[in-house]
Amino acid sequence: MPKKKGKKKASNADFTINDCANAPKPVGRVKKSVEIETGPEKTWEDLQDDDFDIIEESNADGTKNFVYKKKRNQSKNESENNDTGIEYPEIVWYLISPYIKPEEVGNFARINKATYAITKRESFWRALYKRYCQNNPKLPEKLRIENSYKLYGLRQRVIRALYHTYEVFVKKILQQATQESRPHQLVKRRCVNVWYCKGQTYWFVYFKLKKANVDTRVKSLDFIEELGRIDANPEMDSQVMQVTCQNFYEVPPLMGMTLSSVSMVLSQGFRHHRLHLGFNTGHYNVSRNVIPECTVVIDTVVNILVYDWWHPKYPNFENRLPLMDEESLPVLKKDFFTSCNRDLGL
């Protein structure tokens, strides 16, 4: 007698490769049977207000009704959002700071507020100077701070000293010397000063340019606070363009004007270059379509170099407190040309 057909029981066992390999028909994706545990259905009286929100929903026919929707697990979400890692005390970062290399100081300061505060301390920069700069014969006398207790601009002086003594920074200077300078990157900077320097063979024309300050508000300075500013740097956002040429070219006064255009072409004879610099009276009217109000042309150009404030050949002056506007202070010293010739080895 044939067997009676009965209902197949749902099996929770996993299917094997043999079930597919020896099957008479191609077998598609087999779904596992999953048992869903359902608890006893709760009545409206059993529901707690803390677990559900009352939300108003609109139906297709325009009617509205209120429904209960379960809240998300806020405790779990809050724990995930607040999981920011281990917060170490400041003393741990202070003990790590003496082992930070000069090229990693910026990354160290961006870790958290504690590391940023450490890079604002006098002890941090003096320790950096002691490890890499102290008693180094290559360090100029004007950058030595062994017997100096001045806090104003300490960070700037240590960084400039590192570019004379620290091997990684010295190699960076040598690599920049072999690369082609890009004077067009100085466009939209304000001219602070222009001066000349006569060498044995060539003339040197210097243009000191600074980024335009968008914030024109005058800030009241506290003399005591300024004296203790370790990170003070009057030369910040300033660059000096050195133009080396065979002949002397007179440049009109450009202080306060904005560099609007830079172009360089071959001069007659194809032995040198001719530099064209365009200046306008404000950074707001600097664009490609505006004709420069003042054009400076320097012929027989041999070389153009751009120096940042930390470069060893950047003409840094003594750090003074900014009690007045920088343009009202004398920019050049009496012995500037003598010191400039000494730095250039002329």
Side-chain angles (χ1 to χ4, degrees):
M1 293 180 66
K3 296 182 180 180
K4 294 183 180 180
K5 295 183 180 180
K7 293 183 180 180
K8 295 182 179 180
K9 295 182 180 180
S11 175
N12 292 333
D14 294 337
F15 66 94
T16 62
I17 296 178
N18 187 48
D19 296 336
C20 297
N22 300 326
K25 294 181 180 181
V27 179
R29 185 176 179 182
V30 181
K31 294 184 179 180
K32 296 182 181 181
S33 58
V34 180
E35 294 183 359
I36 302 175
E37 296 181 0
T38 57
E41 186 177 356
K42 294 183 179 181
T43 60
W44 287 97
E45 289 79 6
D46 298 332
L47 298 178
Q48 297 181 4
D49 294 337
D50 296 338
D51 298 334
F52 292 85
D53 283 331
I54 301 176
I55 299 176
E56 182 181 1
E57 290 186 350
S58 299
N59 301 323
D61 55 355
T63 59
K64 297 181 179 180
N65 58 346
F66 295 92
V67 295
Y68 273 91
K69 284 197 174 182
K70 192 173 182 180
K71 293 182 179 179
R72 294 181 179 180
N73 192 353
Q74 295 182 357
S75 60
K76 183 178 180 180
N77 295 335
E78 290 176 359
S79 62
E80 291 177 357
N81 296 333
N82 295 331
D83 187 12
T84 56
I86 302 174
E87 185 174 350
Y88 295 99
E90 187 175 352
I91 187 62
V92 175
W93 299 111
Y94 182 78
L95 295 174
I96 295 174
S97 62
Y99 302 96
I100 302 300
K101 294 182 179 180
E103 64 269 24
E104 298 295 338
V105 171
N107 296 330
F108 177 72
R110 287 191 289 266
I111 294 176
N112 52 35
K113 293 181 179 180
T115 57
Y116 177 74
I118 290 173
T119 57
K120 293 275 189 178
R121 294 183 177 181
E122 177 189 4
S123 58
F124 177 81
W125 292 103
R126 288 196 178 273
L128 206 64
Y129 175 86
K130 188 176 181 180
R131 288 202 307 271
Y132 298 102
C133 305
Q134 191 169 351
N135 300 325
N136 194 305
K138 297 180 181 179
L139 186 64
E141 190 64 31
K142 60 183 179 181
L143 294 177
R144 297 187 181 275
I145 61 172
E146 286 88 348
N147 300 323
S148 175
Y149 299 97
K150 186 165 96 172
L151 297 181
Y152 184 78
L154 176 65
R155 172 181 172 272
Q156 178 207 25
R157 296 181 65 186
V158 173
I159 293 175
R160 288 170 54 200
L162 288 169
Y163 276 93
H164 287 272
T165 61
Y166 188 51
E167 185 178 357
V168 177
F169 289 176
V170 173
K171 288 182 179 179
K172 181 180 178 181
I173 295 293
L174 297 176
Q175 290 176 358
Q176 290 183 352
T178 58
Q179 297 174 358
E180 184 181 358
S181 60
R182 299 177 180 179
H184 63 273
Q185 294 181 346
L186 302 175
V187 174
K188 294 188 179 182
R189 288 177 177 258
R190 182 169 54 90
C191 182
V192 177
N193 197 15
V194 180
W195 68 92
Y196 313 90
C197 185
K198 177 97 169 53
Q200 292 180 354
T201 308
Y202 302 109
W203 277 88
F204 300 94
V205 185
Y206 294 88
F207 298 86
K208 184 176 181 181
L209 303 163
K210 190 171 186 177
K211 279 187 179 179
N213 188 10
V214 180
D215 190 4
T216 57
R217 295 176 296 177
V218 179
K219 299 180 181 179
S220 58
L221 300 176
D222 189 351
F223 183 76
I224 303 300
E225 290 182 2
E226 287 296 314
L227 281 176
R229 278 193 59 195
I230 296 174
D231 60 338
N233 187 3
E235 304 295 332
M236 183 64 72
D237 297 330
S238 296
Q239 288 180 307
V240 170
M241 180 172 60
Q242 174 188 296
V243 181
T244 307
C245 50
Q246 280 193 335
N247 304 321
F248 172 76
Y249 291 91
E250 187 176 357
V251 180
L254 302 170
M255 279 68 78
M257 300 189 74
T258 304
L259 181 64
S260 58
S261 62
V262 177
S263 63
M264 205 158 129
V265 296
L266 284 172
S267 60
Q268 293 181 355
F270 303 102
R271 297 181 58 188
H272 307 287
H273 290 83
R274 180 182 298 170
L275 178 66
H276 295 259
L277 302 175
F279 290 88
N280 290 72
T281 54
H283 66 276
Y284 51 86
N285 57 359
V286 173
S287 64
R288 296 180 180 179
N289 300 326
V290 176
I291 300 175
E293 300 176 13
C294 180
T295 303
V296 177
V297 180
I298 302 177
D299 205 353
T300 66
V301 174
V302 179
N303 191 14
I304 298 177
L305 296 173
V306 178
Y307 300 135
D308 292 283
W309 63 267
W310 39 260
H311 198 281
K313 292 186 178 180
Y314 183 91
N316 279 278
F317 304 100
E318 241 179 78
N319 289 340
R320 298 181 180 179
L321 290 176
L323 300 179
M324 296 182 289
D325 186 18
E326 60 177 0
E327 295 184 359
S328 63
L329 291 172
V331 182
L332 299 181
K333 295 182 180 181
K334 294 181 180 180
D335 58 344
F336 173 77
F337 296 103
T338 305
S339 60
C340 184
N341 292 335
R342 192 185 309 113
D343 293 339
L344 294 173
L346 302 178

